[in-house]
Amino acid sequence: MCRVRAVHVVRRRGRVAVLLSADRFLHHMARTIVGSAVAVGRGARDPQWLAMVLASRDRRLAGATAPAHGLALVRVIYPR
């Protein structure tokens, strides 16, 4: 289990960036969050659906996994 601390969506020069901060990341976790958010943003799913997916703790209910291109690890902070 991991704890997502923050999610920020930033729009710059016609592009959208999703910045995620967590204590750790599971396999495909960031891509699944982005894919689910895109489904809501495009109107394919209601915002309440995303809340239900998160509450269920079942990744099988989430949206499509976003492609890996454009994915970048910006920083790692180790606890002292």
Side-chain angles (χ1 to χ4, degrees):
M1 182 157 66
C2 59
R3 183 166 300 199
V4 175
R5 302 198 184 278
V7 177
H8 298 280
V9 179
V10 179
R11 179 183 244 169
R12 289 187 189 149
R13 299 181 189 142
R15 293 182 185 241
V16 176
V18 179
L19 308 171
L20 300 169
S21 176
D23 59 356
R24 67 185 55 83
F25 289 96
L26 303 173
H27 186 67
H28 293 294
M29 179 179 146
R31 293 171 56 197
T32 301
I33 290 170
V34 171
S36 296
V38 167
V40 172
R42 287 185 172 163
R45 299 286 191 157
D46 292 325
Q48 296 81 11
W49 166 79
L50 191 51
M52 185 273 305
V53 169
L54 292 170
S56 75
R57 297 179 164 202
D58 186 350
R59 290 180 72 177
R60 295 173 295 177
L61 301 178
T65 302
H69 65 274
L71 181 65
L73 177 63
V74 175
R75 180 173 49 190
V76 177
I77 301 171
Y78 292 101
R80 295 180 184 231

